[in-house]
Amino acid sequence: MNNKAIVKGSIQDLAVNSGKPMALAFLDIDYVAIVDTSGSMSDMDSRGGRSRYDVACEELKALQGENPGKILVISFSGNARLCLGGIPEYQGGSTDLAGALRFAKQYDLPAMTFFVISDGYPDNAQAALNEAAKLEGVINTIFVGPERDAIGREFLARLAEKNGGKTALAEKGDLLAKQFKQLLLKG
């Protein structure tokens, strides 16, 4: 997927098409999607034999179209990056979830809802759990990996529990948008 594209409904799309300054577009954000773009997200075990990353991008595109200007996207691997155009930047490499949660802290408000979309294998699980505990907003998690992977699923469930969030399974990346909506309704 082209990282330079602007997804309909993304923060950048809203700013460009409404004439609203980018700084004001940030005031409408209700959700922060923190998307794992580490090397394991290139595994080709997702819907239609595609990568976990490609399917996550496809589902995020649909979510942003249904929630225009409401979802801020952050990609992470070795470092975290804002993706104002709505496409998480594929980085490959390590999985510094603790660093991504520290980066996301700048958008933390008591009413903010975070979504960590990952296969559940951070570089340092304890550091990630410690950073999660520092956030005021709720953290929901969506597991995008093979269902048989109990270790990744279990870690994401523990991460969600840190802030009273929920966890969902999107086996093979399927129905990520549906899982996101269900978690919002449970909130």
Side-chain angles (χ1 to χ4, degrees):
M1 193 160 278
N2 180 359
N3 287 340
K4 303 290 185 215
I6 298 175
V7 172
K8 184 169 178 51
S10 68
I11 303 300
Q12 188 171 2
D13 176 61
L14 181 71
V16 168
N17 291 319
S18 70
K20 187 184 274 191
M22 187 67 74
L24 291 180
F26 274 75
L27 296 176
D28 295 329
I29 296 168
D30 291 331
Y31 314 108
V32 177
I34 304 169
V35 185
D36 182 350
T37 60
S38 65
S40 62
M41 292 297 281
S42 67
D43 287 356
M44 305 294 281
D45 60 358
S46 202
R47 184 168 61 220
R50 294 170 35 221
S51 72
R52 297 172 187 177
Y53 168 77
D54 285 340
V55 172
C57 287
E58 182 179 283
E59 297 291 340
L60 280 169
K61 184 177 177 181
L63 282 170
Q64 290 171 94
E66 294 172 16
N67 300 279
K70 299 293 183 188
I71 303 171
L72 179 65
V73 177
I74 297 172
S75 67
F76 77 95
S77 179
N79 57 47
R81 298 179 182 154
L82 278 182
C83 305
L84 299 177
I87 304 278
E89 181 179 338
Y90 182 77
Q91 299 175 49
S94 64
T95 311
D96 186 8
L97 178 55
L101 292 170
R102 269 191 303 279
F103 180 83
K105 177 80 172 138
Q106 64 190 309
Y107 305 104
D108 190 21
L109 299 168
M112 185 61 68
T113 301
F114 295 92
F115 285 86
V116 173
I117 302 167
S118 175
D119 57 10
Y121 283 91
D123 295 343
N124 185 327
Q126 190 56 54
L129 292 170
N130 292 344
E131 290 300 324
K134 296 175 185 176
L135 294 174
E136 291 184 51
V138 170
I139 300 173
N140 292 317
T141 61
I142 300 174
F143 173 73
V144 290
E147 188 173 351
R148 67 185 179 281
D149 183 355
I151 295 169
R153 283 194 343 256
E154 193 273 335
F155 169 75
L156 290 176
R158 286 185 15 226
L159 183 70
E161 287 172 4
K162 281 287 182 190
N163 293 59
K166 308 282 187 225
T167 192
L169 169 67
E171 183 185 6
K172 297 185 179 181
D174 288 331
L175 306 174
L176 180 57
K178 181 179 176 185
Q179 297 289 359
F180 186 95
K181 287 180 213 172
Q182 287 177 342
L183 288 173
L184 290 179
L185 292 174
K186 291 178 184 178

Short mmCIF file of all heavy atoms in Angstrom, two decimals, residues 19-63:
data_model
loop_
_atom_site.label_atom_id
_atom_site.label_comp_id
_atom_site.label_asym_id
_atom_site.label_seq_id
_atom_site.Cartn_x
_atom_site.Cartn_y
_atom_site.Cartn_z
N GLY A 19 -10.46 22.76 4.69
CA GLY A 19 -9.77 24.03 4.82
C GLY A 19 -9.39 24.35 6.25
O GLY A 19 -8.89 25.41 6.57
N LYS A 20 -9.63 23.40 7.14
CA LYS A 20 -9.32 23.56 8.56
C LYS A 20 -7.82 23.41 8.76
O LYS A 20 -7.21 22.49 8.21
CB LYS A 20 -10.06 22.47 9.33
CG LYS A 20 -9.99 22.57 10.83
CD LYS A 20 -10.67 21.37 11.50
CE LYS A 20 -12.14 21.61 11.65
NZ LYS A 20 -12.78 20.59 12.52
N PRO A 21 -7.18 24.28 9.53
CA PRO A 21 -5.76 24.09 9.81
C PRO A 21 -5.51 22.74 10.50
O PRO A 21 -6.36 22.27 11.27
CB PRO A 21 -5.42 25.25 10.77
CG PRO A 21 -6.50 26.25 10.56
CD PRO A 21 -7.72 25.47 10.16
N MET A 22 -4.37 22.15 10.22
CA MET A 22 -4.04 20.84 10.78
C MET A 22 -4.16 20.84 12.30
O MET A 22 -4.67 19.89 12.89
CB MET A 22 -2.63 20.42 10.36
CG MET A 22 -2.26 19.01 10.74
SD MET A 22 -3.20 17.73 9.88
CE MET A 22 -2.46 17.82 8.27
N ALA A 23 -3.71 21.90 12.94
CA ALA A 23 -3.78 21.97 14.41
C ALA A 23 -5.22 21.85 14.90
O ALA A 23 -5.49 21.19 15.91
CB ALA A 23 -3.16 23.26 14.91
N LEU A 24 -6.16 22.44 14.20
CA LEU A 24 -7.57 22.34 14.60
C LEU A 24 -8.15 20.96 14.31
O LEU A 24 -9.04 20.49 15.01
CB LEU A 24 -8.41 23.43 13.92
CG LEU A 24 -8.14 24.85 14.38
CD1 LEU A 24 -9.02 25.84 13.63
CD2 LEU A 24 -8.34 24.99 15.88
N ALA A 25 -7.64 20.31 13.27
CA ALA A 25 -8.10 18.95 12.95
C ALA A 25 -7.81 17.99 14.11
O ALA A 25 -8.57 17.06 14.36
CB ALA A 25 -7.45 18.46 11.66
N PHE A 26 -6.72 18.25 14.85
CA PHE A 26 -6.36 17.39 15.98
C PHE A 26 -7.39 17.47 17.11
O PHE A 26 -7.50 16.57 17.92
CB PHE A 26 -4.98 17.76 16.51
CG PHE A 26 -3.86 17.07 15.80
CD1 PHE A 26 -3.48 17.46 14.53
CD2 PHE A 26 -3.20 16.01 16.38
CE1 PHE A 26 -2.46 16.82 13.86
CE2 PHE A 26 -2.17 15.36 15.72
CZ PHE A 26 -1.80 15.77 14.45
N LEU A 27 -8.16 18.53 17.16
CA LEU A 27 -9.15 18.69 18.23
C LEU A 27 -10.31 17.70 18.10
O LEU A 27 -11.01 17.44 19.07
CB LEU A 27 -9.69 20.12 18.25
CG LEU A 27 -8.67 21.21 18.58
CD1 LEU A 27 -9.32 22.58 18.46
CD2 LEU A 27 -8.08 20.99 19.96
N ASP A 28 -10.50 17.15 16.91
CA ASP A 28 -11.61 16.22 16.66
C ASP A 28 -11.25 14.76 16.90
O ASP A 28 -12.09 13.89 16.77
CB ASP A 28 -12.11 16.38 15.22
CG ASP A 28 -12.71 17.75 14.98
OD1 ASP A 28 -13.28 18.33 15.93
OD2 ASP A 28 -12.62 18.24 13.84
N ILE A 29 -10.00 14.49 17.24
CA ILE A 29 -9.56 13.10 17.41
C ILE A 29 -10.19 12.48 18.65
O ILE A 29 -10.15 13.03 19.74
CB ILE A 29 -8.02 13.04 17.52
CG1 ILE A 29 -7.38 13.52 16.22
CG2 ILE A 29 -7.56 11.63 17.87
CD1 ILE A 29 -5.89 13.76 16.35
N ASP A 30 -10.78 11.30 18.47
CA ASP A 30 -11.33 10.52 19.58
C ASP A 30 -10.57 9.23 19.84
O ASP A 30 -10.66 8.65 20.91
CB ASP A 30 -12.79 10.15 19.30
CG ASP A 30 -13.72 11.34 19.33
OD1 ASP A 30 -13.44 12.32 20.05
OD2 ASP A 30 -14.75 11.30 18.63
N TYR A 31 -9.84 8.77 18.80
CA TYR A 31 -9.17 7.47 18.87
C TYR A 31 -7.75 7.58 18.33
O TYR A 31 -7.50 8.31 17.37
CB TYR A 31 -9.92 6.42 18.04
CG TYR A 31 -11.40 6.45 18.27
CD1 TYR A 31 -12.26 6.94 17.30
CD2 TYR A 31 -11.94 5.99 19.47
CE1 TYR A 31 -13.63 6.98 17.52
CE2 TYR A 31 -13.31 6.03 19.70
CZ TYR A 31 -14.14 6.53 18.72
OH TYR A 31 -15.49 6.58 18.93
N VAL A 32 -6.84 6.83 18.94
CA VAL A 32 -5.48 6.73 18.44
C VAL A 32 -5.23 5.25 18.13
O VAL A 32 -5.29 4.41 19.03
CB VAL A 32 -4.44 7.25 19.47
CG1 VAL A 32 -3.02 7.06 18.94
CG2 VAL A 32 -4.69 8.71 19.81
N ALA A 33 -4.97 4.97 16.85
CA ALA A 33 -4.64 3.60 16.42
C ALA A 33 -3.12 3.49 16.37
O ALA A 33 -2.47 4.19 15.59
CB ALA A 33 -5.25 3.31 15.06
N ILE A 34 -2.57 2.64 17.22
CA ILE A 34 -1.11 2.41 17.29
C ILE A 34 -0.87 1.08 16.59
O ILE A 34 -1.20 0.02 17.11
CB ILE A 34 -0.64 2.38 18.75
CG1 ILE A 34 -1.04 3.67 19.47
CG2 ILE A 34 0.86 2.15 18.82
CD1 ILE A 34 -0.85 3.63 20.98
N VAL A 35 -0.29 1.15 15.39
CA VAL A 35 -0.21 -0.01 14.50
C VAL A 35 1.21 -0.55 14.41
O VAL A 35 2.14 0.17 14.04
CB VAL A 35 -0.73 0.35 13.10
CG1 VAL A 35 -0.76 -0.88 12.20
CG2 VAL A 35 -2.11 1.00 13.18
N ASP A 36 1.36 -1.80 14.75
CA ASP A 36 2.64 -2.52 14.67
C ASP A 36 3.03 -2.66 13.19
O ASP A 36 2.27 -3.21 12.40
CB ASP A 36 2.43 -3.90 15.31
CG ASP A 36 3.67 -4.78 15.35
OD1 ASP A 36 4.69 -4.44 14.71
OD2 ASP A 36 3.59 -5.83 16.01
N THR A 37 4.20 -2.13 12.83
CA THR A 37 4.70 -2.28 11.47
C THR A 37 6.09 -2.92 11.49
O THR A 37 6.95 -2.61 10.67
CB THR A 37 4.71 -0.93 10.71
OG1 THR A 37 5.56 -0.01 11.40
CG2 THR A 37 3.32 -0.36 10.58
N SER A 38 6.29 -3.81 12.46
CA SER A 38 7.57 -4.50 12.60
C SER A 38 7.68 -5.60 11.53
O SER A 38 6.73 -5.86 10.79
CB SER A 38 7.67 -5.12 13.99
OG SER A 38 6.69 -6.13 14.16
N GLY A 39 8.82 -6.25 11.50
CA GLY A 39 9.08 -7.28 10.51
C GLY A 39 8.05 -8.39 10.46
O GLY A 39 7.70 -8.88 9.38
N SER A 40 7.53 -8.80 11.62
CA SER A 40 6.57 -9.92 11.63
C SER A 40 5.24 -9.55 10.98
O SER A 40 4.48 -10.43 10.59
CB SER A 40 6.32 -10.39 13.06
OG SER A 40 5.76 -9.36 13.84
N MET A 41 4.96 -8.26 10.82
CA MET A 41 3.71 -7.85 10.18
C MET A 41 3.77 -8.06 8.66
O MET A 41 2.76 -7.91 7.98
CB MET A 41 3.40 -6.39 10.51
CG MET A 41 3.05 -6.17 11.98
SD MET A 41 1.56 -7.04 12.52
CE MET A 41 0.31 -5.95 11.85
N SER A 42 4.93 -8.47 8.16
CA SER A 42 5.03 -8.80 6.73
C SER A 42 4.71 -10.26 6.47
O SER A 42 4.67 -10.70 5.32
CB SER A 42 6.42 -8.46 6.20
OG SER A 42 7.39 -9.31 6.77
N ASP A 43 4.45 -11.04 7.54
CA ASP A 43 4.11 -12.46 7.36
C ASP A 43 2.87 -12.57 6.46
O ASP A 43 1.89 -11.84 6.65
CB ASP A 43 3.83 -13.13 8.70
CG ASP A 43 5.09 -13.36 9.51
OD1 ASP A 43 6.20 -13.06 9.01
OD2 ASP A 43 4.97 -13.84 10.66
N MET A 44 2.94 -13.45 5.51
CA MET A 44 1.89 -13.61 4.51
C MET A 44 0.87 -14.66 4.94
O MET A 44 0.54 -15.57 4.20
CB MET A 44 2.52 -14.00 3.16
CG MET A 44 3.58 -13.03 2.67
SD MET A 44 2.93 -11.42 2.27
CE MET A 44 2.24 -11.74 0.68
N ASP A 45 0.34 -14.52 6.15
CA ASP A 45 -0.63 -15.49 6.67
C ASP A 45 -1.98 -14.82 6.91
O ASP A 45 -2.76 -15.25 7.74
CB ASP A 45 -0.10 -16.15 7.93
CG ASP A 45 0.17 -15.18 9.07
OD1 ASP A 45 0.00 -13.95 8.88
OD2 ASP A 45 0.57 -15.64 10.15
N SER A 46 -2.26 -13.76 6.18
CA SER A 46 -3.49 -13.02 6.38
C SER A 46 -4.47 -13.27 5.24
O SER A 46 -4.21 -14.07 4.34
CB SER A 46 -3.16 -11.53 6.51
OG SER A 46 -4.18 -10.86 7.18
N ARG A 47 -5.56 -12.58 5.29
CA ARG A 47 -6.66 -12.72 4.33
C ARG A 47 -6.14 -12.72 2.89
O ARG A 47 -5.38 -11.86 2.49
CB ARG A 47 -7.62 -11.54 4.55
CG ARG A 47 -8.85 -11.56 3.74
CD ARG A 47 -9.87 -10.55 4.21
NE ARG A 47 -9.38 -9.18 4.13
CZ ARG A 47 -9.63 -8.25 5.06
NH1 ARG A 47 -10.33 -8.54 6.12
NH2 ARG A 47 -9.19 -7.04 4.91
N GLY A 48 -6.56 -13.73 2.15
CA GLY A 48 -6.17 -13.84 0.75
C GLY A 48 -4.69 -14.07 0.53
O GLY A 48 -4.16 -13.78 -0.54
N GLY A 49 -3.98 -14.58 1.55
CA GLY A 49 -2.55 -14.83 1.43
C GLY A 49 -1.72 -13.55 1.45
O GLY A 49 -0.56 -13.56 1.07
N ARG A 50 -2.33 -12.46 1.90
CA ARG A 50 -1.63 -11.18 1.96
C ARG A 50 -0.98 -11.00 3.33
O ARG A 50 -1.22 -11.74 4.26
CB ARG A 50 -2.63 -10.05 1.68
CG ARG A 50 -3.13 -10.14 0.25
CD ARG A 50 -4.28 -9.26 -0.12
NE ARG A 50 -4.31 -7.97 0.53
CZ ARG A 50 -5.42 -7.41 0.99
NH1 ARG A 50 -6.57 -8.02 0.91
NH2 ARG A 50 -5.38 -6.23 1.55
N SER A 51 -0.16 -9.95 3.44
CA SER A 51 0.53 -9.71 4.70
C SER A 51 -0.42 -9.14 5.75
O SER A 51 -1.44 -8.51 5.42
CB SER A 51 1.71 -8.74 4.48
OG SER A 51 1.23 -7.42 4.25
N ARG A 52 -0.05 -9.34 7.01
CA ARG A 52 -0.81 -8.77 8.12
C ARG A 52 -0.87 -7.24 7.97
O ARG A 52 -1.90 -6.63 8.23
CB ARG A 52 -0.14 -9.12 9.45
CG ARG A 52 -0.09 -10.60 9.73
CD ARG A 52 0.77 -10.89 10.96
NE ARG A 52 0.93 -12.33 11.11
CZ ARG A 52 1.67 -12.88 12.04
NH1 ARG A 52 2.33 -12.13 12.91
NH2 ARG A 52 1.77 -14.19 12.13
N TYR A 53 0.25 -6.65 7.56
CA TYR A 53 0.32 -5.20 7.37
C TYR A 53 -0.67 -4.72 6.31
O TYR A 53 -1.42 -3.76 6.53
CB TYR A 53 1.75 -4.79 6.98
CG TYR A 53 1.84 -3.37 6.49
CD1 TYR A 53 1.82 -2.31 7.38
CD2 TYR A 53 1.93 -3.09 5.13
CE1 TYR A 53 1.88 -1.00 6.94
CE2 TYR A 53 2.00 -1.79 4.69
CZ TYR A 53 1.97 -0.74 5.59
OH TYR A 53 2.02 0.54 5.13
N ASP A 54 -0.71 -5.38 5.15
CA ASP A 54 -1.62 -4.95 4.08
C ASP A 54 -3.08 -5.02 4.50
O ASP A 54 -3.87 -4.13 4.21
CB ASP A 54 -1.40 -5.78 2.81
CG ASP A 54 -0.13 -5.39 2.07
OD1 ASP A 54 0.38 -4.28 2.29
OD2 ASP A 54 0.34 -6.22 1.27
N VAL A 55 -3.42 -6.07 5.21
CA VAL A 55 -4.81 -6.23 5.65
C VAL A 55 -5.14 -5.20 6.74
O VAL A 55 -6.22 -4.59 6.73
CB VAL A 55 -5.09 -7.67 6.13
CG1 VAL A 55 -6.45 -7.80 6.77
CG2 VAL A 55 -4.98 -8.62 4.93
N ALA A 56 -4.20 -4.94 7.66
CA ALA A 56 -4.43 -3.91 8.68
C ALA A 56 -4.65 -2.55 8.03
O ALA A 56 -5.56 -1.80 8.42
CB ALA A 56 -3.26 -3.85 9.66
N CYS A 57 -3.87 -2.23 6.99
CA CYS A 57 -4.04 -0.95 6.28
C CYS A 57 -5.40 -0.88 5.59
O CYS A 57 -6.06 0.17 5.64
CB CYS A 57 -2.94 -0.78 5.23
SG CYS A 57 -1.31 -0.43 5.92
N GLU A 58 -5.80 -1.96 5.00
CA GLU A 58 -7.11 -2.00 4.32
C GLU A 58 -8.25 -1.75 5.31
O GLU A 58 -9.17 -0.98 5.05
CB GLU A 58 -7.27 -3.36 3.65
CG GLU A 58 -8.55 -3.53 2.86
CD GLU A 58 -8.58 -4.90 2.21
OE1 GLU A 58 -7.89 -5.08 1.19
OE2 GLU A 58 -9.28 -5.78 2.74
N GLU A 59 -8.16 -2.39 6.46
CA GLU A 59 -9.20 -2.23 7.47
C GLU A 59 -9.18 -0.83 8.08
O GLU A 59 -10.23 -0.23 8.32
CB GLU A 59 -9.06 -3.29 8.55
CG GLU A 59 -9.23 -4.71 8.04
CD GLU A 59 -10.64 -5.05 7.61
OE1 GLU A 59 -11.58 -4.36 8.01
OE2 GLU A 59 -10.80 -6.02 6.85
N LEU A 60 -7.98 -0.27 8.32
CA LEU A 60 -7.88 1.08 8.85
C LEU A 60 -8.46 2.10 7.88
O LEU A 60 -9.08 3.09 8.29
CB LEU A 60 -6.43 1.43 9.16
CG LEU A 60 -5.90 0.89 10.47
CD1 LEU A 60 -4.39 1.06 10.54
CD2 LEU A 60 -6.56 1.58 11.65
N LYS A 61 -8.27 1.85 6.60
CA LYS A 61 -8.82 2.74 5.57
C LYS A 61 -10.35 2.77 5.69
O LYS A 61 -10.97 3.85 5.66
CB LYS A 61 -8.39 2.25 4.20
CG LYS A 61 -8.82 3.12 3.06
CD LYS A 61 -8.26 2.59 1.74
CE LYS A 61 -8.76 3.43 0.59
NZ LYS A 61 -8.25 2.93 -0.70
N ALA A 62 -10.96 1.63 5.85
CA ALA A 62 -12.42 1.56 6.00
C ALA A 62 -12.87 2.28 7.27
O ALA A 62 -13.86 3.02 7.26
CB ALA A 62 -12.88 0.10 6.01
N LEU A 63 -12.15 2.08 8.36
CA LEU A 63 -12.51 2.73 9.63
C LEU A 63 -12.46 4.25 9.53
O LEU A 63 -13.34 4.94 10.03
CB LEU A 63 -11.55 2.29 10.73
CG LEU A 63 -11.78 0.93 11.33
CD1 LEU A 63 -10.61 0.56 12.23
CD2 LEU A 63 -13.06 0.92 12.12
#
